[in-house]
């Protein structure tokens, strides 16, 4: 039997993605982002959230999807991974659902243009609705995080 997990659902374009709730600190509206030189293009810069400086990644850019303008719905999802807090910019984040791990299948090679290594799997919630589960440790690949950590100093 799989276990039930709570998942925050967010969107990039038409696709829905999930991150386990226990990895998510908060979800914020778009805050002023301070650019940081010499970083990957998908690293948008840093935000100051209640006195903590947090690097912010554009998930579209991270996945090689076309960038989009921020809208009223745009959100920054603050996640904690391996002692590091990072913000993900997403098109919207509007749902928390319960999922049973049994319905998560291993990801195909590419889903919605995103390489499988960034994904934990795909959950089929209903006939029409697929949820792409993120593999946070790959999205926040160590080597790239090391660069982010140097931003915080």
């Amino acid at each position: 039997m799989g276990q039930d997990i709570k998942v925050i659902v967010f969107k990039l374009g038409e696709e829905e993605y999930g991150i386990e709730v226990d990895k998510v600190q908060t979800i914020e509206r778009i805050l002023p982002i301070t650019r940081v030189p010499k970083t990957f293009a998908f690293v948008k810069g840093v935000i100051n959230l209640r006195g903590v400086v947090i690097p912010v990644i554009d998930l579209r850019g991270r996945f090689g999807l076309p960038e989009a303008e921020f809208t009223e719905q745009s959100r920054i999802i603050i996640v904690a991974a391996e002692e590091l807090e990072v913000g993900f910019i997403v098109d919207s984040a509007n749902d928390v659902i319960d999922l049973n791990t049994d319905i998560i299948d291993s990801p195909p090679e590419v889903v919605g243009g995103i390489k499988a290594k960034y994904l934990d799997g795909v959950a089929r919630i209903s006939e029409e609705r697929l949820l792409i589960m993120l593999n946070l440790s790959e999205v926040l690949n160590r080597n790239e995080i090391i660069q982010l950590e140097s931003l915080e100093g």
Side-chain angles (χ1 to χ4, degrees):
M1 288 296 293
Q3 74 226 63
D4 282 330
I5 54 173
K6 274 203 176 331
V7 174
I8 288 182
V9 177
F10 66 89
K11 287 187 103 161
L12 294 176
E14 293 304 301
E15 305 279 354
E16 289 190 301
Y17 298 82
I19 299 182
E20 287 177 50
V21 164
D22 57 13
K23 307 248 171 48
V24 174
Q25 307 284 0
T26 69
I27 298 177
E28 304 288 334
R29 291 180 170 275
I30 298 289
L31 297 160
I33 298 172
T34 307
R35 290 285 320 171
V36 179
K38 296 206 216 37
T39 51
F40 289 103
F42 63 80
V43 178
K44 285 299 162 209
V46 294
I47 55 172
N48 185 328
L49 186 62
R50 296 182 272 285
V52 182
V53 173
I54 298 175
V56 176
I57 291 174
D58 185 337
L59 266 195
R60 282 173 163 273
R62 180 71 179 99
F63 293 154
L65 301 173
E67 291 200 10
E69 294 292 311
F70 297 154
T71 69
E72 265 302 290
Q73 268 66 54
S74 300
R75 294 289 180 271
I76 301 178
I77 300 178
I78 312 292
V79 298
E82 303 184 23
E83 313 298 297
L84 182 69
E85 287 190 316
V86 178
F88 289 154
I89 299 174
V90 301
D91 293 353
S92 64
N94 41 13
D95 216 358
V96 178
I97 60 173
D98 291 306
L99 269 194
N100 190 289
T101 51
D102 279 347
I103 69 165
I104 301 177
D105 294 321
S106 55
E109 280 304 294
V110 174
V111 184
I114 297 173
K115 295 187 192 68
K117 71 171 188 171
Y118 295 135
L119 310 175
D120 249 353
V122 176
R124 183 173 289 284
I125 300 170
S126 67
E127 278 303 306
E128 298 77 59
R129 196 171 178 203
L130 282 182
L131 192 61
I132 301 167
M133 301 297 295
L134 283 198
N135 174 348
L136 271 190
S137 54
E138 263 312 322
V139 174
L140 300 173
N141 184 302
R142 266 326 280 162
N143 306 333
E144 291 158 9
I145 292 186
I146 288 163
Q147 286 204 293
L148 292 180
E149 282 174 339
S150 58
L151 296 184
E152 293 181 23

